[in-house]
Amino acid sequence: MLTKTEQAILEDRTIFQKKVIPVTTYNGNILKSAQNNTKLGKGKGIITKGPWSGFPLFTFTLEERKTCPRSCHHYGDCYGNNMFRANRYKNDENLIPRLRDEIASMDAMYKGFVIRLHVLGDFYSVEYVQFWSQMLEKHSGLHIYGYTARYFDNIGEEIRKNLAPHNRVSIRFSVDSTNLERLDPNIFTPDLLATDESVSNIPFVVCPEQTEQTESCLTCGLCFNKNFRKAVKFLNH
Ligand code: SF4
């Protein structure tokens, strides 16, 4: 008899299937203020440090495993396994139009704003990566940051070549230590790497929020500062 977690891994999905919400059944915004997140905002929503200081921060959440590569080194112990309250927005045909509308509304409202991709989940297709590139072209206020376990597949290639280099994007690649030497030296710059495995052979800092050196991501900003050319190491997952 498999556990709930083992069954979810086997079926490449979240444990909490009732928390996968089709956007057509959800009336609120699917881009959420960081103030709702206990690490990113802790009750506040405006970035106060780094080049994006003054911008509001929003988060976006997809279904873990369903949208992730099986090669992710946290495929089994994904922290989504403990996030039974979080809504995951279903990546069906209605998702992109809804994102398009919400991004357009935000761009009309703010001079600059930041979306954290993805609290759970990952870039799930080349077309989805290209969607974000198109949004950046269309909306000058849009800024993006996040982490991805995509690197070696065609989705990772699209991110590396056409999304990560954009000056309003900061994507960090999450790879385990056994794969570090496989990275393309042209893209393997510390500002594009995040890992919670051994990173002792490259320059890194431990996430200051986890060591209580800063209140939240809003008051830190390292992950979305492209001038910060070190890896970020996370103490726990
Ligand atoms: S290093 Fe800073 S921005 Fe990155 S996760 Fe930690 S607190 Fe947030």
Side-chain angles (χ1 to χ4, degrees):
M1 178 82 174
L2 296 177
T3 64
K4 282 184 182 174
T5 305
E6 288 168 339
Q7 192 66 40
I9 294 167
L10 195 69
E11 296 176 15
D12 301 317
R13 60 166 173 79
T14 178
I15 299 169
F16 311 107
Q17 289 174 288
K18 288 186 179 160
K19 299 302 288 180
V20 181
I21 314 288
V23 296
T24 46
T25 66
Y26 190 75
N27 290 326
N29 283 348
I30 61 173
L31 298 174
K32 299 288 183 194
S33 170
Q35 66 185 354
N36 302 312
N37 186 289
T38 52
K39 175 173 182 174
L40 275 77
K42 295 187 178 156
K44 297 172 187 164
I46 307 293
I47 296 168
T48 59
K49 196 164 180 187
W52 296 349
S53 186
F55 293 167
L57 175 62
F58 297 89
T59 64
F60 179 53
T61 305
L62 288 167
E63 182 181 355
E64 70 272 29
R65 283 189 283 273
K66 173 84 185 294
T67 58
C68 304
R70 285 201 131 229
S71 58
C72 174
H73 54 292
H74 286 296
Y75 202 80
D77 68 347
C78 174
Y79 64 80
N81 292 354
N82 299 315
M83 291 178 62
F84 55 91
R85 285 201 184 93
N87 284 344
R88 289 90 165 146
Y89 297 101
K90 193 173 174 67
N91 62 323
D92 61 15
E93 69 281 4
N94 299 307
L95 178 65
I96 294 298
R98 179 67 163 268
L99 279 172
R100 206 184 289 278
D101 287 351
E102 290 194 20
I103 292 166
S105 298
M106 281 183 185
D107 200 39
M109 203 179 311
Y110 303 110
K111 191 171 166 216
F113 62 103
V114 182
I115 300 177
R116 158 75 200 280
L117 303 176
H118 306 89
V119 174
L120 296 174
D122 208 327
F123 294 96
Y124 54 83
S125 70
V126 169
E127 291 74 21
Y128 177 67
V129 180
Q130 291 169 343
F131 162 76
W132 285 106
S133 297
Q134 289 158 13
M135 290 297 95
L136 287 158
E137 287 307 308
K138 194 165 180 189
H139 299 294
S140 58
L142 173 63
H143 298 66
I144 293 169
Y145 89 96
Y147 318 89
T148 180
R150 304 277 181 192
Y151 190 93
F152 299 106
D153 60 9
N154 59 341
I155 301 172
E157 188 178 3
E158 182 68 24
I159 298 167
R160 282 185 278 126
K161 288 190 175 162
N162 298 322
L163 186 63
H166 195 287
N167 62 1
R168 282 183 278 122
V169 173
S170 183
I171 299 288
R172 291 170 176 267
F173 293 92
S174 228
V175 294
D176 65 46
S177 55
T178 58
N179 275 318
L180 288 179
E181 60 193 29
R182 291 178 61 204
L183 304 186
D184 175 354
N186 295 318
I187 194 75
F188 178 40
T189 53
D191 61 317
L192 294 176
L193 178 75
T195 178
D196 52 10
E197 298 294 324
S198 167
V199 288
S200 56
N201 55 345
I202 60 168
F204 71 92
V205 297
V206 175
C207 167
E209 189 272 340
Q210 293 189 329
T211 53
E212 300 184 353
Q213 305 293 304
T214 195
E215 185 183 332
S216 69
C217 297
L218 300 174
T219 58
C220 169
L222 290 181
C223 286
F224 40 92
N225 186 344
K226 285 185 92 116
N227 297 321
F228 177 68
R229 303 186 69 79
K230 291 182 182 176
V232 174
K233 180 173 178 174
F234 296 104
L235 290 180
N236 52 46
H237 180 66

